[in-house]
Amino acid sequence: MNDSEQAPLISDEGEVGFVEYQDFVSKEPFQFVSGGSIPELTLRYETYGHLSAAKDNAILICHALSGDHHCAGVHGIEERKQGWWNFMVGPGKPIDTTRYFVICSNVLGGCQGSTGPGSINPATGRPYNLDFPKLTVQDMVKAQSLLIDSFGIDRLHAVIGGSMGGMQTLQWAIDFPQRVGRYIALACGARHTAQAIAFNDTGRQAIISDPEWKGGNYDPQEGPAQGLAVARMMAHITYLSDVGMESKFGRKRRSGDQSREHFEVEFEVESYLRYQGASFVTRFDANTYLYLTKALDRFDLHSPESLDVTLQAVTAPGLVVGFTSDWLYPPQGNREVVEALLRLGKDATYAELAMDFGHDSFLLRAPQLYELMHRFLSR
């Protein structure tokens, strides 16, 4: 049985239902690792479940590059699309909202309500654009810690995330070891490979080369849509797998005039990728894409000394999960983190799941992933 088969519905599972986002606002200056600063910051977030009187049941979920704070539920009766991890978060689900108080925030540097390049700089009354400071995953985590402080939470039951969210999760375990009860990092690694950096930079160049980018000072309504769409199309390919794409699309063609050459959609996979690019432009900011992908490329737990030295700070038990068909963040990169933790005598577990959907496998419901998450959070 392939691990990516749909898990059977569990009779006692429920839904989070209607949710509303909230904004955490800090009026204190925020200092970035780079030395830059902003006079204040906002993090948009959602919560699910109830915080216990002891404030010891909180779980922080960290999202991936194209994700946001809306990981479960719906915002209204008209909304058809549920949060990006809705199958994982809710009553009776692995991240059980009858037991846990779940928090998910849009990262610092994001474009879904949190302070980022497109936000207004209070000092100038204009968008930051490229005046926004150099961003790192460490900055994202530091900002999240302020949000957690606002709840009066000293220690999180768990921090969980996949991809960029997995990197944030590892950074939490390193930077705030006394505040993390356990962590689950999925489909990530200690640093990007040269290939991953190359794909990211090619996407950035697609945006920067678009005349509508205008040195980062574009009108939000008239930005570098073509460049951002191409960047998304290319990145989306890296989230999939050859087996998955072949199974879904193969060489299926669309009907059309076969008597003349044209460069419009001919294959179904072309249609799919163009749709991904076009829809992404309607919900994402180009400068944010530049900043977040650069932050991912800079993430390097081998620096400044070695992976072992960096991970020495970790005290919480951890679960790291790799996926066999993930060629963007290959299994060996996930395994490397756990091997280093074990060398240091840390409590760490590695699991590798055979799924055919590439890097995005962690976003799909699968029986073994369900069981892993449930068991680890309950230990």
Side-chain angles (χ1 to χ4, degrees):
M1 174 173 149
N2 189 299
D3 295 337
S4 60
E5 289 183 25
Q6 289 290 303
L9 288 174
I10 300 172
S11 59
D12 59 354
E13 281 189 3
E15 296 299 327
V16 165
F18 297 129
V19 297
E20 294 182 355
Y21 66 76
Q22 300 178 69
D23 288 337
F24 162 72
V25 179
S26 171
K27 294 295 185 181
E28 298 296 321
F30 183 87
Q31 196 78 23
F32 289 71
V33 171
S34 66
S37 65
I38 52 178
E40 61 184 54
L41 72 81
T42 297
L43 290 185
R44 181 156 293 177
Y45 68 95
E46 290 181 3
T47 64
Y48 321 100
H50 300 281
L51 186 61
S52 66
K55 299 186 177 182
D56 60 357
N57 68 331
I59 291 179
L60 175 67
I61 294 178
C62 303
H63 68 75
L65 170 64
S66 58
D68 56 25
H69 54 280
H70 182 45
C71 76
V74 293
H75 288 140
I77 197 167
E78 302 277 326
E79 186 178 23
R80 297 177 61 187
K81 187 175 181 181
Q82 297 170 317
W84 56 267
W85 232 12
N86 189 75
F87 72 87
M88 192 66 76
V89 179
K93 297 177 181 179
I95 305 176
D96 189 345
T97 52
T98 66
R99 298 180 60 189
Y100 305 119
F101 177 64
V102 182
I103 307 164
C104 185
S105 68
N106 185 217
V107 295
L108 175 66
C111 57
Q112 304 296 333
S114 292
T115 302
S119 303
I120 299 299
N121 181 348
T124 66
R126 298 189 300 272
Y128 285 102
N129 294 329
L130 301 194
D131 288 332
F132 195 75
K134 181 187 290 186
L135 181 68
T136 66
V137 171
Q138 202 168 3
D139 295 316
M140 300 175 197
V141 167
K142 178 182 174 183
Q144 289 165 349
S145 74
L146 299 178
L147 170 62
I148 300 306
D149 288 344
S150 73
F151 288 101
I153 297 169
D154 293 325
R155 182 178 173 87
L156 292 160
H157 179 74
V159 181
I160 307 172
S163 192
M164 185 178 85
M167 294 178 175
Q168 294 169 68
T169 296
L170 293 175
Q171 195 71 59
W172 260 98
I174 293 163
D175 288 355
F176 298 99
Q178 302 308 314
R179 304 193 70 178
V180 178
R182 69 208 71 211
Y183 62 92
I184 303 175
L186 307 102
C188 59
R191 61 182 175 186
H192 270 181
T193 62
Q195 179 176 259
I197 295 171
F199 274 115
N200 275 349
D201 189 57
T202 304
R204 288 191 292 268
Q205 291 306 311
I207 293 169
I208 291 169
S209 300
D210 188 322
E212 295 302 318
W213 185 61
K214 299 178 180 177
N217 296 310
Y218 51 85
D219 184 323
Q221 304 304 316
E222 301 175 2
Q226 189 60 41
L228 181 58
V230 171
R232 171 61 173 178
M233 289 169 67
M234 187 181 59
H236 197 74
I237 295 169
T238 71
Y239 304 154
L240 307 175
S241 73
D242 180 48
V243 171
M245 291 183 77
E246 193 64 30
S247 174
K248 186 171 184 177
F249 303 108
R251 292 182 56 82
K252 295 175 189 173
R253 281 182 165 86
R254 290 197 157 195
S255 58
D257 185 355
Q258 302 297 319
S259 67
R260 54 186 291 274
E261 184 56 272
H262 64 87
F263 300 101
E264 294 305 311
V265 170
E266 179 178 356
F267 295 95
E268 287 291 345
V269 69
E270 294 176 310
S271 175
Y272 172 77
L273 288 174
R274 293 190 193 192
Y275 169 78
Q276 289 294 328
S279 61
F280 189 66
V281 167
T282 65
R283 66 180 180 86
F284 216 84
D285 174 64
N287 282 340
T288 287
Y289 192 88
L290 298 177
Y291 271 82
L292 294 187
T293 56
K294 261 297 189 182
L296 291 178
D297 290 345
R298 291 190 188 103
F299 181 79
D300 186 359
L301 299 185
H302 289 263
S303 178
E305 297 183 58
S306 69
L307 181 58
D308 285 26
V309 171
T310 301
L311 294 176
Q312 185 63 58
V314 176
T315 58
L319 170 65
V320 178
V321 183
F323 298 89
T324 54
S325 60
D326 185 354
W327 55 279
L328 181 61
Y329 294 87
Q332 59 265 31
N334 293 267
R335 192 184 309 116
E336 173 192 40
V337 174
V338 174
E339 289 172 346
L341 288 164
L342 293 176
R343 278 197 303 272
L344 295 166
K346 308 294 184 179
D347 184 348
T349 302
Y350 175 68
E352 190 170 303
L353 301 185
M355 296 177 67
D356 293 336
F357 298 98
H359 180 60
D360 272 356
S361 292
F362 77 96
L363 295 172
L364 300 174
R365 179 173 175 157
Q368 288 196 21
L369 181 58
Y370 238 55
E371 186 69 12
L372 275 172
M373 299 278 285
H374 173 74
R375 285 183 178 276
F376 190 78
L377 289 175
S378 300
R379 58 178 284 188

